[in-house]
Amino acid sequence: MKNIATALVKAQKAFAPALKNAVNPHFRSKYVDLASCVDSVIGALNDNGIFLFQTTTEHPDGVICETSFLHESGERLDCGKLFFPSPKHDPQGFMSCLTYIRRASLMAATGQAPEDDDGNAATKPKETKANHNLMQDHITSISESTTLEELQTRFKEAYKSAGTDKEWLEAVTSAKDLMKRKLK
């Protein structure tokens, strides 16, 4: 393990920052996409004789992913399996989950953190009033649901975003109830 350890230290010193280069239009927030994560480390890894690969395993409720490194000496380092549940059990839901878990696994394995990552937001105190524009987007999303499963997923996201804001909690519940009647 000496060769791969030495090469990983050298590579990590040359990693580029993982930049938030993609925008989630639904939540109006920027995030680091998978391509940016890979681009920020792949050159340094390859320059130090390290091949990066990720394996996935079937799971009926989500995706299991493991990031591994293979050194040109033949030494291999597996970084541990990670499981994420898929919120939607359809191809789009599983692909979204796959992209998300690959990004998270790679960032954990390489010690990356996006600039001003979401962990910082988690340590800030929660506000009691929900963001008006975000909640309007959630209401619109609920009203555009085409299946009961989609409605339930969108309702959960909206309800979580509403936090303790009673006005918005009532609004998203009403919007869900109205769409539920329409979809039946």
Side-chain angles (χ1 to χ4, degrees):
M1 292 293 287
K2 182 181 179 187
N3 292 317
I4 195 168
T6 302
L8 281 169
V9 169
K10 288 179 183 175
Q12 191 174 40
K13 289 178 182 179
F15 288 166
L19 301 175
K20 291 184 178 183
N21 63 337
V23 177
N24 180 333
H26 185 68
F27 293 108
R28 295 187 181 138
S29 61
K30 291 184 82 174
Y31 67 95
V32 179
D33 68 6
L34 177 60
S36 180
C37 288
V38 172
D39 287 346
S40 69
V41 299
I42 198 72
L45 290 170
N46 292 164
D47 288 347
N48 286 281
I50 301 168
F51 173 67
L52 162 71
F53 64 102
Q54 294 181 299
T55 54
T56 56
T57 308
E58 278 186 59
H59 191 283
D61 295 321
V63 178
I64 299 170
C65 179
E66 182 169 32
T67 297
S68 299
F69 303 105
L70 181 62
H71 188 257
E72 59 193 12
S73 68
E75 295 175 355
R76 176 178 170 160
L77 176 65
D78 298 319
C79 297
K81 293 180 180 178
L82 182 62
F83 169 76
F84 280 3
S86 179
K88 291 173 66 177
H89 291 169
D90 62 14
Q92 182 182 10
F94 279 105
M95 284 304 294
S96 176
C97 186
L98 176 63
T99 301
Y100 189 79
I101 197 171
R102 286 186 60 208
R103 182 175 64 225
S105 179
L106 177 59
M107 291 179 83
T110 58
Q112 290 180 295
E115 68 205 80
D116 191 29
D117 70 356
D118 293 336
N120 292 335
T123 61
K124 295 178 184 173
K126 294 197 184 240
E127 296 179 19
T128 55
K129 284 290 184 185
N131 177 293
H132 179 79
N133 291 335
L134 174 62
M135 293 312 300
Q136 287 288 51
D137 289 347
H138 278 303
I139 297 291
T140 300
S141 177
I142 288 170
S143 68
E144 293 173 347
S145 299
T146 57
T147 66
L148 288 173
E149 182 181 73
E150 184 178 59
L151 173 63
Q152 188 64 25
T153 299
R154 291 177 177 184
F155 169 72
K156 285 178 183 177
E157 291 171 358
Y159 200 85
K160 183 177 177 182
S161 293
T164 59
D165 190 322
K166 290 181 182 180
E167 182 181 331
W168 282 112
L169 289 170
E170 290 174 13
V172 297
T173 301
S174 295
K176 179 199 72 154
D177 292 343
L178 177 64
M179 278 308 296
K180 192 173 182 179
R181 287 192 293 274
K182 287 182 180 180
L183 291 172
K184 282 190 173 184

